[in-house]
Amino acid sequence: MEKYRQQVEDMQHQLSEAEFTFQSQMAVQERNAVANWMRAQDWERRRVQQSRENAYLKHRLRMMEGEMLPVGPTRCRPIPGRPEFQKPLWQGRKHDVKCSSLISAVKPHGAFPIPGHLPL
């Protein structure tokens, strides 16, 4: 009886070791699958960027060769997906304030201070 009990304990120990080994192998395979998925997403993003760049360069080449003449007003507009042509958010619009507009913003035209009164 003792002999069978020892065999059962040995088999349970082997089973738990095998289970631990399989779980660790599954964790490694899951990690590899996630890494492969992230790599595929990165390559897809790069492919899309490259196709946009190719389309933009083809357009510029046609414009330079004169095959496609610009129609309507040619105004520079930022092209979606081309961040180098877009204005950064930290660069706001600059407003040139002239002296006369600054004075008119502070005091209405024709308003003169009344002697003896404090200015508003």
Side-chain angles (χ1 to χ4, degrees), residues 90-107:
W90 55 268
Q91 290 182 354
R93 287 187 173 175
K94 294 182 181 178
H95 296 285
D96 293 331
V97 178
K98 295 180 181 176
C99 184
S100 62
S101 64
L102 182 60
I103 292 169
S104 65
V106 174
K107 159 175 84 165

Side-chain angles (χ1 to χ4, degrees), residues 32-89:
N32 290 343
V34 168
N36 288 338
W37 179 79
M38 290 175 68
R39 210 173 293 124
Q41 293 295 317
D42 184 47
W43 281 108
E44 180 65 21
R45 181 182 49 80
R46 288 182 188 191
R47 187 190 64 78
V48 168
Q49 286 177 347
Q50 189 66 44
S51 67
R52 284 182 185 165
E53 182 74 18
N54 289 345
Y56 173 73
L57 291 174
K58 284 179 184 178
H59 171 73
R60 281 192 57 199
L61 181 63
R62 282 195 309 259
M63 292 289 284
M64 291 169 83
E65 290 176 348
E67 291 178 7
M68 187 172 138
L69 296 174
V71 178
T74 56
R75 185 176 158 209
C76 279
R77 286 182 236 155
I79 299 171
R82 304 230 357 128
E84 60 268 12
F85 290 124
Q86 295 178 1
K87 193 170 190 178
L89 293 176

